[in-house]
Amino acid sequence: MLKNKKAIEIYTDGSEKGSYGSWAFVMVQNGKVLTEGFGREKKTTSYRMEFQAAIEALKILPQSSKVTLYTDCRILVDTMTLWSKGWKANGWIKAKGQKIPNVDIIIALDYLSQNHKITWKWVKAHSGKTHNERADELCLNAREQL
């Protein structure tokens, strides 16, 4: 677990190909990489891996960290900034009574995010942002190891 509570940037990525998936994150503070993480799973989806990357990064932060989390997954950003609060208030059901796909991983991310002040930001994939490109590289390498 990290001990420093200064502002942290996290770059995440998730990937899936042929039901083999992977996730990765790069944690940065003051322009310096603090740590990187990655993992892989069988029989999963890209969506789940995008969320898992954020979950794994948040797990190692000290309580009450100030974080800017960058992802190339608009669904992740929209879920955490637009939808999850209403879903949670509605018992994790959509407004029209529909089930939420992958609600288990959304609940896990919601729980972890309560411990931090997080700004969720979308970044275009493969746009040349160094730490985002590194997260993508880690993610693809992890998936290929399956």
Side-chain angles (χ1 to χ4, degrees):
M1 172 155 319
L2 302 173
K3 294 182 180 177
N4 195 333
K5 290 188 179 183
K6 292 182 181 176
I8 294 173
E9 295 178 335
I10 300 172
Y11 296 80
T12 65
D13 200 15
S15 172
E16 178 270 334
K17 185 175 181 182
S19 79
Y20 291 94
S22 58
W23 56 265
F25 67 83
V26 178
M27 198 170 292
V28 179
Q29 189 172 56
N30 298 325
K32 180 182 174 189
V33 174
L34 297 175
T35 190
E36 299 175 332
F38 58 89
R40 52 197 171 270
E41 293 183 22
K42 294 181 181 179
K43 297 184 181 179
T44 191
T45 64
S46 179
Y47 175 81
R48 290 185 70 83
M49 294 296 91
E50 295 282 0
F51 278 68
Q52 194 65 45
I55 287 169
E56 296 299 330
L58 295 180
K59 279 182 182 179
I60 67 169
L61 290 176
Q63 292 283 335
S64 303
S65 292
K66 183 177 179 182
V67 177
T68 302
L69 192 142
Y70 296 90
T71 176
D72 61 8
C73 179
R74 286 189 192 268
I75 292 174
L76 174 56
V77 173
D78 288 349
T79 296
M80 299 310 294
T81 61
L82 301 175
W83 306 324
S84 66
K85 189 174 183 178
W87 292 343
K88 186 177 183 176
N90 201 34
W92 295 105
I93 302 289
K94 290 184 180 182
K96 295 182 180 178
Q98 303 154 309
K99 290 184 178 181
I100 300 165
N102 300 298
V103 70
D104 60 324
I105 204 157
I106 295 168
I107 291 170
L109 184 55
D110 176 73
Y111 174 78
L112 286 168
S113 67
Q114 299 305 309
N115 298 322
H116 309 290
K117 180 173 176 28
I118 304 172
T119 302
W120 302 89
K121 292 203 174 192
W122 179 80
V123 61
K124 185 176 180 177
H126 311 292
S127 60
K129 298 207 181 292
T130 302
H131 303 302
N132 190 55
E133 296 292 342
R134 177 62 178 156
D136 179 68
E137 177 185 13
L138 289 168
C139 191
L140 292 177
N141 288 344
R143 191 184 72 212
E144 296 304 317
Q145 293 177 16
L146 282 171

